[in-house]
């Protein structure tokens, strides 16, 4: 191929690769933003099949209760489970919720959420939105990401509870 074609090819490849490398790398090294990961096998199995088993410390207890009361219509999916399994998972999530026991990480992510609000998404918490305001539309649209809820696409240690920002 001639020189111009080669240059164009390289530029196209870079344009495709660089934004995703950039956004994926930004969330990686350093820091200590720790949200205790799910360590119960039932919760990991039943709540980790379709997406990351989200840390209970990312939503208040009332949110988990509301979510567990309506698993038949779980963000458009049917995630229903037997009553004993629901009870087991709900107890686990509520005991470790963001507002259980005044943990440090909790107040951080719940900032801006009033007692009257029952957020069902982590990705609509004001604090979460603020932490992600620098992520561009193109970065969200990256096929490796697909959804804001796909934390592990950018936070490579999400499964282990780490969401570092630099
Ligand atoms: C059958 C698949 C499925 C199962 C099983 C499932 N979920 Fe989900 N969940 C979804 C889908 C789909 C969404 C919406 C994801 C999106 O917006 O990309 C979602 C979203 C969520 C969100 C909000 C994510 C955000 O945007 O902040 C939470 C929290 C959540 N699920 C918790 C749970 C819990 C707790 C369980 C276990 C009881 C569970 N999920 C089991 C499919 C499932
Ligand atoms: C498209 C990539 C992307 C996705 C998907 C994503 N994040 Fe992030 N996240 C980032 C980036 C980049 C930052 C750092 C922002 C900055 O540098 O200011 C960040 C920051 C954070 C922080 C703040 C860390 C700190 O230092 O306080 C938390 C917590 C977090 N993300 C949690 C999540 C959770 C939970 C999910 C899934 C529900 C998620 N993120 C999905 C890219 C992403």
């Amino acid at each position: 191929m001639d020189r111009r074609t080669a240059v164009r090819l390289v530029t196209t490849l870079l344009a495709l690769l660089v934004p995703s490398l950039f956004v994926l790398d930004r969330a990686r090294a350093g820091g200590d933003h720790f949200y205790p990961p799910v360590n119960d096998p039932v919760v990991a199995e039943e709540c980790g099949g379709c997406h990351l088993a989200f840390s209970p410390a990312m939503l208040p207890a009332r949110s988990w209760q509301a979510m567990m009361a309506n698993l038949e219509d779980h963000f458009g999916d049917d995630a229903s489970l037997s009553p004993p399994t629901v009870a087991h998972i709900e107890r686990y999530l509520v005991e470790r919720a963001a507002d259980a026991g005044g943990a440090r990480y909790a107040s951080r992510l719940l900032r801006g959420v009033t007692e009257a609000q029952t957020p069902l998404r982590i990705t609509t918490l004001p604090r979460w939105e603020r932490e992600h305001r620098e992520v561009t539309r193109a970065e969200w649209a990256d096929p490796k990401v697909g959804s804001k809820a796909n934390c592990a696409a950018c936070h490579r240690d999400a499964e282990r509870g780490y969401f570092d920002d630099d």
Side-chain angles (χ1 to χ4, degrees), residues 23 26-27 33 35 54 58 108 122-123 128 131-132 134-135 139-140 145 147-151 154-155 163-165:
V23 68
R26 272 210 325 235
H33 299 287
Y35 294 82
F54 300 113
M58 291 189 161
R108 232 177 116 78
I122 298 156
T123 55
W128 191 95
E131 293 288 357
H132 293 85
E134 283 172 21
V135 180
E139 288 169 336
W140 289 125
V145 177
S147 161
K148 289 184 177 179
N150 187 11
C151 322
C154 305
H155 299 284
F163 295 85
D164 306 321
D165 73 347

Side-chain angles (χ1 to χ4, degrees), residues 42-43 45-55 58-59 64 67-68 71 74-81 85-86 89-90 93 119-125 128 146-151:
V42 176
V43 184
E45 163 96 15
E46 303 296 353
C47 303
C50 300
H51 47 63
L52 175 77
F54 300 113
S55 171
M58 291 189 161
L59 286 173
W64 294 124
M67 193 177 297
M68 295 308 291
L71 285 179
H74 179 76
F75 303 93
D77 273 20
D78 182 352
S80 48
L81 296 164
T85 308
V86 169
I89 295 173
E90 183 172 332
L93 296 172
L120 293 181
R121 283 188 182 270
I122 298 156
T123 55
T124 56
L125 299 174
W128 191 95
S147 161
K148 289 184 177 179
N150 187 11
C151 322

Side-chain angles (χ1 to χ4, degrees), residues 87-159:
H88 174 92
I89 295 173
E90 183 172 332
R91 180 156 21 94
Y92 179 88
L93 296 172
V94 164
E95 279 173 2
R96 294 161 182 77
D99 53 351
R104 183 171 55 89
Y105 45 82
S107 53
R108 232 177 116 78
L109 208 50
L110 288 196
R111 209 169 295 160
V113 178
T114 70
E115 297 278 337
Q117 295 171 319
T118 305
L120 293 181
R121 283 188 182 270
I122 298 156
T123 55
T124 56
L125 299 174
R127 179 79 201 185
W128 191 95
E129 289 181 331
R130 221 168 60 142
E131 293 288 357
H132 293 85
R133 74 191 152 192
E134 283 172 21
V135 180
T136 64
R137 198 182 285 261
E139 288 169 336
W140 289 125
D142 187 314
K144 287 205 276 309
V145 177
S147 161
K148 289 184 177 179
N150 187 11
C151 322
C154 305
H155 299 284
R156 117 189 112 169
D157 287 330
E159 295 268 6

